[in-house]
Amino acid sequence: MSLGMTPQASFSNLRVLEPLVHGVASSANLQITKEVKHGGLGVITAAIFLSGEMAGSGVLALPAAMIGTGGWLGLMLILLFTANAGFSGTRLGLCWIMLEERYEEFRGEVRDPYPAIGEKAVGRWGRIVSMIAISLTLYGGGCVFIVLIAQLLGSLVASVGFSLSLCLWMVIVAVCLMPLTWMGTPKDFWPIAVGALATTCIACLLVVVTCILDGNQIQEKVFPAPTADGIFKAFGSIMFAYAGASTFPTIQADMADRSKFNYSAMIAMGVLFAIYFPMAAGCYFSLGDQVTDNIVMAM
């Protein structure tokens, strides 16, 4: 008999929402949070992801970016952008911590953390603008990678007598990379991040050593004076080398302890500076104005 009283809701009849659905949080979401924490990324692994994701084709253009800056001004820009990227990364990390504290539905697995931050900050249009910006950034960066890989593969294969046009190589590269996009979150393919960072460091080391050896053969090196046009071009090239902030919240969402993302961001920026600074300084001061937009083609 009900006695006119409203029955109390029990745990068994509460509506359980999926963690990817932005709505009223449930205790199931809190349980999923614990599972994520046990299988998430550590501080070092997240730092490797961040540095491996950001250290890409942009590093090849850094020596050429030094031409219009006189060298030292360009190196100062690298230091400035390192600090700027690190500060931006820590702010994004704090934004996600705020979302988790205020909205329990974000404590589980969230596949679109950056748009979620934008939506909670300014409303629905913030999500739309964030998604457009992320799409354009990743599309532009992806095109650069595809073209660069196609050029390198074409030059390698051409040395053995097999030749294809750049357009065909781009299609082949895109098809080969497509299965990698079918994976889930970063924690599902962390070995790729380790391999990406390791190969980038080895490649940069070989490039710097080769440029220094080649530079010893140059009788007279020319270092152009800085110009306004060269500084603006260097600004864009160095900024592109630090592109990748759109993936910061995604990597943080996969961490075991998301509150430690700031440490991962600072470690990643230190790794990037250790790669970018010697690459720009060593190649430019070794070859002078003989560096090219793609430093690999100058060797």
Side-chain angles (χ1 to χ4, degrees), residues 2 75 149 193 229 296:
S2 64
L75 296 178
I149 296 173
D229 181 66
V296 176

Side-chain angles (χ1 to χ4, degrees), residues 17 34 36 49 62 82 84 88-89 93 99 105 117 165 173 180 191 194 212 216 220 227 231 249 251 260 274 297:
L17 296 179
K34 295 179 181 179
V36 172
F49 253 106
L62 290 180
T82 301
N84 178 71
S88 300
L99 252 67
E105 65 266 31
I117 293 175
S165 66
V173 170
L180 298 178
V194 177
I212 293 176
N216 293 331
E220 184 178 355
T227 61
I231 293 174
I251 296 173
K260 295 183 179 180
M297 300 302 177

Side-chain angles (χ1 to χ4, degrees), residues 239-285:
M239 178 180 289
F240 176 77
Y242 283 94
S246 59
T247 60
F248 277 27
T250 303
I251 296 173
Q252 182 184 15
D254 275 350
M255 290 187 65
D257 188 352
R258 299 168 183 173
S259 63
K260 295 183 179 180
F261 177 78
N262 289 352
Y263 299 109
S264 299
M266 299 308 297
I267 294 174
M269 294 308 108
V271 172
L272 288 180
F273 184 79
I275 296 174
Y276 288 175
F277 196 89
M279 184 75 172
C283 296
Y284 175 71
F285 289 110

Side-chain angles (χ1 to χ4, degrees), residues 99-215:
L99 252 67
E100 284 192 335
E101 292 177 349
R102 299 182 181 184
Y103 308 97
E104 293 183 354
E105 65 266 31
F106 293 106
R107 296 178 184 175
E109 291 187 9
V110 180
R111 300 297 295 273
D112 55 349
Y114 211 134
I117 293 175
E119 182 176 10
K120 293 301 182 182
V122 295
R124 181 68 178 176
W125 69 270
R127 167 179 287 274
I128 297 174
V129 171
S130 299
M131 293 180 66
I132 294 175
I134 292 172
S135 299
L136 292 177
T137 301
L138 296 180
Y139 176 79
C143 290
V144 172
F145 280 118
I146 291 175
V147 172
L148 180 64
I149 296 173
Q151 286 180 340
L152 295 177
L153 283 178
S155 62
L156 288 175
V157 177
S159 62
V160 297
F162 183 76
S163 179
L164 287 176
S165 66
L166 178 62
C167 296
L168 289 177
W169 276 118
M170 290 174 61
V171 174
I172 294 173
V173 170
V175 172
C176 294
L177 294 178
M178 194 178 301
L180 298 178
T181 64
W182 299 340
M183 296 183 180
T185 58
K187 70 176 185 295
D188 298 327
F189 51 95
W190 62 266
I192 295 180
V194 177
L197 182 61
T199 53
T200 300
C201 292
I202 295 174
C204 290
L205 177 61
L206 294 176
V207 169
V208 173
V209 171
T210 303
C211 287
I212 293 176
L213 295 177
D214 291 345

